[in-house]
Amino acid sequence: MEKFVKLTGVAAPLPVVNIDTDMIIPKDYLKTIKRTGLGKGLFAEARYKDDGSLNPDFVLNKPQYENAKILVAGDNFGCGSSREHAPWALLDFGIRCVISTSFADIFYNNCFKNGILPIVVSQDDLDKLMDDASRGSNAVLTVDLEAQEISGPDGGKITFDIDPARKHIMLEGLDDIATTLKSDSAIASFESKVQAERPWL
């Protein structure tokens, strides 16, 4: 998993509440278990017209936001089903950070497992960031995980809280397997001890 230390990129505004995982990646794209190639299906029902052409009114189809790395979204982002394809699609599109006032628990946990940083801020701070994100090509934010700060295009800063353990895995780029392997020597020592004490197992 790629480390997340500091991210500078265009932030796209998505001021919609209760964006569920079916909106993030519709069920038609759930046939694959690969984590790549899902970016084309991100927000498919809003991004594409019935004839398959791009909807020019959708934020991520606008030229100034097509390479967005940060999403500033409304409350309760990622609600609905527990599909892990949702963070896979965001990441495959290029989104590494989502900022909102709240997230659904399962989606929130899945983000950390896939290298996406979900940041919870107050409504006042979200309003400021939404305003920053609405500046088109000037909508550049810097997210500094180590300092736990978000810097806006005018130099203003917003701080955020994050669980220290989650912060550590993001800074080090550790997925669940890599986190377990960090304890490899302790696991091997335990197994040797159990084998010596209970050779019949």
Side-chain angles (χ1 to χ4, degrees), residues 168-187:
H168 173 72
I169 65 169
M170 292 296 288
L171 287 171
E172 294 297 320
L174 302 172
D175 59 17
D176 286 349
I177 294 172
T179 301
T180 302
L181 290 175
K182 281 273 200 179
S183 304
D184 192 41
S185 58
I187 293 169

Side-chain angles (χ1 to χ4, degrees), residues 23-26 28-29 37-61 92-93:
M23 292 172 65
I24 297 170
I25 184 72
D28 302 347
Y29 295 88
L38 289 169
K40 68 179 182 292
L42 181 67
F43 297 115
E45 292 178 357
R47 277 175 67 201
Y48 303 106
K49 295 181 178 181
D50 291 341
D51 63 3
S53 62
L54 290 175
N55 173 9
D57 295 327
F58 185 68
V59 62
L60 293 179
N61 291 337
D92 192 59
F93 183 86

Side-chain angles (χ1 to χ4, degrees), residues 12 19 37 43 50 68 72-73 86 90 92-93 97-98 102 114 118 122 140-141 176 178:
I19 293 177
F43 297 115
D50 291 341
V72 182
L90 286 163
D92 192 59
F93 183 86
C97 178
V98 182
S102 70
N114 289 282
S122 68
V140 175
L141 299 180
D176 286 349

